[in-house]
Amino acid sequence: MRESERMDRRNNRIGRRSILVAAGAWVALTATAQPTQALMINQTAPPGPEESGKRAELAEQAIVQRYVRPLWGEPQVQLGTLVWPASLWEQLLLGRWCYWWQAHLLDCAVDAAVRARTPERIDRIFALARGIRVRNITAWTNGYYDDMSWLILALERAERLLGIRFGEAVGDLHRALYAGWRPDIGAVPWRSHDNYYSTSAIGPTGIAMARSGELSRAAALSDFLQARLRDPRSGLIFDGVHEPEGRVDHATPTYCQGAVIALEAELATRTGDSAHHKRATDLIAATADRLTNAGVIAAATANDSGLFMGILARYLAEAALALGDTTAANIVHASARAAWEHRAEVGGLPLFGMDWTRPVTVPDHPGTFTQLTHSSTVPAANLSRDLSVQLSGWMVLEADHRLTAAGH
């Protein structure tokens, strides 16, 4: 049986009513459950395996064991808790809905299945995709073009690299992104009915357009980024711009550079246009110069930025593979080594920090992971319980493995 048919059959077996019934049962069962037990952190982790694939596998195991949970008690519908250890409310996945973190969790699950395809990994991809669809309530789409563009990239990779389909998901998301195009501006906004045009929406939307064959639309998004958001002094790409007034947010987050590098690499390989190749290599060089520390991707700060490092690593690896760019490959390798060497361990599995150049910061006493909590007085390096931070660690190790396996 084809895996696309398996997906359709499984969707038929899991209806909205059964999910709601399961949710009620899950709430009842967990109401009296005990909170997550404190676990000891080994801040000085042993060397561990040298092989890149084994390191990526351990990162995968850490996230699957700590974060991935059935949505409302249904094992074929899964999502990642946003923190670990998770409170009962967080384990119920009823709190803050972070669509784009789940999209990147799905993308990492695709990485793992590409690295070593197993029935368990394929099932996990289906379960996570289904979890996003169910938890999003109304459809695959929402009002945020950055959210939707990250998800379509994960789903498209699953289809292209693994041969598995998700019904009309990719088509629905593509139509939503296409409908978001503002011809008077020449780009898609951050969200529906907004005047902010962010690199985090434009870059991945452009990648999705290029991969679907909409090369003229992808090139137009590339041109918008170069004309409106490229800093002529640093060569980096700004976070976004309010249009039509032209007010620019001059922040240059690492993940913005990654998305644009990937867009230019896609266009360079698909069109053969040397201008896109130059844009990609110039941005890689600027990133290496200004957003690395001894060759390691710059640290995250707080909130959603935990994902920024890993996204840049993913797309540097893609550019290295597509364009043969050694600078991009070197950044990925250096970042993966640093993330691994400075990790802590909990239960024999890695725990990554927000700064890959420093050991994961842990409390002096009592030395338990439950002390790593969100607080205005807690340093950013102590926010390692966030799913976003751990996904970055997983992403950079998968990126390192892809390059190593390809001989880069």
Side-chain angles (χ1 to χ4, degrees), residues 59 306 309-310 339 352 356 388-398:
M309 305 175 294
F352 302 103
W356 291 334
S388 61
V389 177
Q390 300 312 308
L391 285 175
S392 269
W394 185 4
M395 272 191 267
V396 73
L397 294 179
E398 294 285 4

Side-chain angles (χ1 to χ4, degrees), residues 24 45 64 141 229 279:
V64 169
T141 61
L229 290 173
R279 287 177 180 179

Side-chain angles (χ1 to χ4, degrees), residues 43-56:
Q43 188 172 6
T44 306
E50 291 290 332
E51 202 272 312
S52 61
K54 292 293 185 183
R55 292 181 173 185

Side-chain angles (χ1 to χ4, degrees), residues 141 148 152 168-180 205 208-214:
T141 61
M148 292 188 287
I152 195 174
E168 295 301 314
V170 171
D172 288 349
L173 288 163
H174 187 273
R175 285 186 288 274
L177 294 178
Y178 204 88
T205 296
M209 293 292 179
R211 290 178 180 174
S212 69
E214 297 279 352

Side-chain angles (χ1 to χ4, degrees), residues 5-323:
E5 294 171 346
R6 291 170 58 203
M7 179 66 175
D8 291 340
R9 191 179 73 173
R10 292 176 184 183
N11 279 340
N12 290 335
R13 289 167 53 191
I14 302 176
R16 189 76 58 176
R17 181 177 178 181
S18 65
I19 288 292
L20 294 175
V21 171
W26 183 245
V27 171
L29 287 171
T30 56
T32 58
Q34 295 298 313
T36 305
Q37 297 296 310
L39 296 172
M40 296 298 296
I41 298 177
N42 180 4
Q43 188 172 6
T44 306
E50 291 290 332
E51 202 272 312
S52 61
K54 292 293 185 183
R55 292 181 173 185
E57 183 178 1
L58 289 173
E60 174 195 9
Q61 290 177 15
I63 287 180
V64 169
Q65 291 184 23
R66 295 170 186 161
Y67 293 90
V68 176
R69 295 288 180 271
L71 177 61
W72 305 331
E74 174 53 64
Q76 295 183 23
V77 185
Q78 298 178 356
L79 286 176
T81 61
L82 300 189
V83 294
W84 176 83
S87 69
L88 293 179
W89 180 255
E90 290 158 345
Q91 291 180 55
L92 288 171
L93 299 162
L94 291 170
R96 184 164 64 103
W97 169 225
C98 203
Y99 180 118
W100 83 290
W101 288 21
Q102 306 296 336
H104 285 286
L105 173 59
L106 177 62
D107 221 358
C108 285
V110 173
D111 290 337
V114 171
R115 168 171 44 83
R117 184 178 184 128
T118 65
E120 180 183 14
R121 289 189 172 104
I122 298 299
D123 286 345
R124 183 173 301 122
I125 291 169
F126 280 129
L128 290 171
R130 196 179 292 113
I132 293 170
R133 172 63 184 84
V134 171
R135 182 60 181 81
N136 200 48
I137 306 298
T138 56
W140 290 101
T141 61
N142 71 4
Y144 290 81
Y145 295 105
D146 56 348
D147 280 2
M148 292 188 287
S149 60
W150 295 122
L151 181 57
I152 195 174
L153 292 178
L155 296 173
E156 186 276 335
R157 289 182 68 235
E159 291 192 359
R160 173 166 47 89
L161 301 177
L162 298 169
I164 58 179
R165 293 183 55 81
F166 306 91
E168 295 301 314
V170 171
D172 288 349
L173 288 163
H174 187 273
R175 285 186 288 274
L177 294 178
Y178 204 88
W181 178 267
R182 303 281 178 83
D184 55 325
I185 303 297
V188 293
W190 167 51
R191 62 181 177 182
S192 179
H193 308 298
D194 202 288
N195 72 344
Y196 189 60
Y197 292 78
S198 70
T199 301
S200 64
I202 296 169
T205 296
I207 300 167
M209 293 292 179
R211 290 178 180 174
S212 69
E214 297 279 352
L215 296 179
S216 61
R217 185 62 55 90
L221 292 171
S222 165
D223 291 343
F224 178 91
L225 291 165
Q226 296 296 317
R228 304 294 294 118
L229 290 173
R230 183 178 181 276
D231 179 5
R233 290 176 296 181
S234 70
L236 296 174
I237 303 296
F238 292 133
D239 186 81
V241 58
H242 294 268
E243 296 287 18
E245 62 265 36
R247 179 163 50 90
V248 174
D249 181 338
H250 292 93
T252 54
T254 49
Y255 80 140
C256 288
Q257 318 315 311
V260 178
I261 288 166
L263 172 57
E264 299 300 344
E266 287 285 343
L267 287 168
T269 55
R270 292 173 184 274
T271 68
D273 189 337
S274 60
H276 292 296
H277 190 290
K278 185 176 188 305
R279 287 177 180 179
T281 55
D282 285 352
L283 185 51
I284 291 167
T287 298
D289 183 50
R290 294 176 177 268
L291 294 178
T292 64
N293 180 359
V296 177
I297 294 170
T301 53
N303 300 322
D304 281 358
S305 69
L307 268 168
F308 291 3
M309 305 175 294
I311 292 172
L312 174 56
R314 174 186 296 286
Y315 292 120
L316 284 171
E318 290 195 4
L321 291 170
L323 307 177

